[in-house]
Amino acid sequence: MAENDKDQERTEQATPKRKEEARRKGQTAKSREIPSVAVLGISLILLYFYGSGMTEQLMDLMVSAFRLSGDTLVDRGNFIRILTDFAFRSFSIMFLFFVSVLAAGILANVVQVGFMITTEAVAPKFSKLDPIKGLGRLFSLQALVEFLKSLLKLGIVGTAAWLMVHRELGGIFPLVRQSTGQILVYIAGVSFRIMLVTTLVLVLLALLDYMYQRWEYEKSLRMTRQEVKEEFKQTEGDPLIKSRIRRLQREIARRRMMAAVPKADVIITNPDHLAVAIRYDPRGFAPVVIAKGAGFIAEKIKDLGRRHGIPLVENKPVAQLLYKTVNVNQYIPENLYRAVAEILAYVYSLKQRNPFGV
């Protein structure tokens, strides 16, 4: 069976169960470029809106640190205190930046694969220590594709950055007559524009990479027809076994129905093809169909009726309506009350019995 599965082409889409199993193992369609782009994008946004403020705070911190270093006796205790204070103030200034970058990276992954916690992806596997398999993965088709993608990304991003730098070359020479502050402002502006264009290019590449990863993921999960059949058997049960169970259930229900025939008050026939056994309990709501059948089953019902002295009444319209519209152990419908009452009255007159037991 396994050899047949290998020979078959994987042409069937992955079932929900197959996808769920892959997800539990940490196998999802995910692009590593999207978190990188998200981190770069949020960094640009923060630098645009808060860059100048953070720069001023960091410069003030450096100035105060240099001043403090000239006025403070440097020993072990002072050094640790100054270093701790400097680190805490630096972290306070960069706190929003750090948190935003961390949140962007996490959110980029959640958007791609949803919230997922699994340990199988990081669980140690001794098969990964096999050098032969390691070389196989290193020189596999997937590794080659990833290498070509990296080269393509580097070329596209490098070209976009070079075009931006080439565009700004004309503004470099006048900087010799500018102050240091103006030069720094110019460099910051050019750097920001280069990073902005680079980020936009990376966004486009990340979207294309995600589409490719999605296609590759769906392709890797494809199944053979035999695998789909085997999974269906595991989840829904073997069709042959289910068919046998249904057959046994029908047989048991038929035996119970036949056991109830001797309790009938009358059997209404077609006359040859249908037979419906009716029982009426004066304490009940209405007469009940306790057995019915067609063909061979109808003959067995009639034969049981004859052996137990149950009257057989031929009434084609009533027999057909009861057979088609009323299930076993159900009350007859209201539109048949009159017809069935007349039949029961006729039967009781033959038996000379009061139907209400009084």
Side-chain angles (χ1 to χ4, degrees):
M1 184 65 71
E3 294 180 356
N4 292 337
D5 289 346
K6 293 180 181 179
D7 294 337
Q8 293 183 19
E9 293 185 4
R10 298 184 177 274
T11 57
E12 306 301 315
Q13 293 295 328
T15 61
K17 181 183 176 183
R18 180 70 169 262
K19 292 181 179 180
E20 184 63 28
E21 290 177 351
R23 182 178 177 83
R24 283 199 299 268
K25 296 178 182 178
Q27 300 174 5
T28 56
K30 182 177 69 174
S31 171
R32 289 176 292 181
E33 306 298 333
I34 291 181
S36 302
V37 171
V39 169
L40 183 59
I42 198 68
S43 301
L44 278 178
I45 294 173
L46 290 173
L47 288 175
Y48 182 80
F49 288 103
Y50 303 107
S52 59
M54 285 191 297
T55 303
E56 291 178 2
Q57 293 182 62
L58 290 173
M59 290 178 65
D60 292 341
L61 180 60
M62 294 297 296
V63 169
S64 64
F66 285 127
R67 286 177 179 173
L68 188 63
S69 64
D71 300 335
T72 305
L73 178 63
V74 179
D75 57 16
R76 181 177 179 181
N78 287 335
F79 178 77
I80 294 177
R81 179 179 58 81
I82 293 171
L83 184 62
T84 303
D85 181 66
F86 184 80
F88 179 77
R89 292 175 62 184
S90 299
F91 181 77
S92 300
I93 295 171
M94 301 294 293
F95 178 76
L96 178 63
F97 184 84
F98 291 147
V99 171
S100 300
V101 167
L102 178 62
I106 295 174
L107 184 62
N109 283 291
V110 171
V111 168
Q112 291 187 85
V113 302
F115 185 77
M116 179 179 64
I117 298 178
T118 178
T119 58
E120 291 197 33
V122 295
K125 295 181 180 179
F126 293 103
S127 60
K128 294 183 179 180
L129 301 178
D130 188 345
I132 304 300
K133 292 184 179 180
L135 288 174
R137 289 192 296 267
L138 185 61
F139 296 100
S140 63
L141 179 61
Q142 183 178 2
L144 177 61
V145 171
E146 292 295 329
F147 176 72
L148 293 177
K149 281 167 51 183
S150 300
L151 285 181
L152 181 62
K153 181 178 71 173
L154 183 62
I156 294 174
V157 173
T159 301
W162 164 248
L163 291 176
M164 287 297 299
V165 171
H166 187 268
R167 179 182 176 185
E168 300 291 342
L169 287 177
I172 294 178
F173 297 105
L175 293 179
V176 296
R177 296 188 295 272
Q178 304 293 328
S179 64
T180 302
Q182 291 174 325
I183 293 174
L184 291 176
V185 171
Y186 175 80
I187 293 175
V190 172
S191 301
F192 182 83
R193 288 193 290 273
I194 292 174
M195 290 182 64
L196 179 61
V197 172
T198 302
T199 302
L200 293 176
V201 173
L202 286 174
V203 168
L204 178 61
L205 292 177
L207 292 175
L208 293 175
D209 182 63
Y210 177 75
M211 294 171 62
Y212 170 77
Q213 295 293 342
R214 190 77 188 179
W215 174 81
E216 184 70 21
Y217 172 73
E218 295 289 345
K219 181 182 177 182
S220 67
L221 292 183
R222 285 180 183 173
M223 307 169 66
T224 64
R225 292 185 177 180
Q226 184 62 35
E227 288 175 335
V228 174
K229 291 179 181 178
E230 292 296 329
E231 184 177 301
F232 178 80
K233 288 181 181 179
Q234 294 174 3
T235 56
E236 301 295 334
D238 192 330
L240 294 177
I241 295 176
K242 291 180 69 176
S243 176
R244 179 176 175 81
I245 292 173
R246 286 195 297 267
R247 186 169 63 251
L248 291 174
Q249 289 174 340
R250 288 194 298 268
E251 183 63 29
I252 292 172
R254 187 179 299 117
R255 289 178 182 176
R256 289 178 179 174
M257 182 181 72
M258 290 301 180
V261 171
K263 302 177 184 178
D265 292 317
V266 64
I267 297 175
I268 305 174
T269 64
N270 193 21
D272 298 327
H273 303 94
L274 300 177
V276 181
I278 301 291
R279 183 172 185 272
Y280 176 64
D281 185 350
R283 296 168 296 181
F285 177 74
V288 179
V289 173
I290 62 172
K292 69 174 185 177
F296 175 73
I297 302 299
E299 290 298 328
K300 290 190 67 175
I301 291 173
K302 289 188 288 185
D303 183 57
L304 277 171
R306 293 189 189 98
R307 281 189 284 167
H308 289 84
I310 300 170
L312 275 62
V313 177
E314 179 182 338
N315 192 317
K316 294 181 180 180
V318 175
Q320 290 174 353
L321 284 173
L322 288 172
Y323 183 80
K324 292 178 180 178
T325 61
V326 186
N327 293 325
V328 176
N329 294 324
Q330 282 189 349
Y331 292 113
I332 65 171
E334 188 176 351
N335 61 320
L336 290 175
Y337 280 179
R338 184 180 182 85
V340 173
E342 291 176 353
I343 294 173
L344 288 173
Y346 170 72
V347 170
Y348 292 142
S349 67
L350 293 178
K351 293 183 177 182
Q352 297 180 352
R353 190 180 74 181
N354 189 336
F356 297 102
V358 295

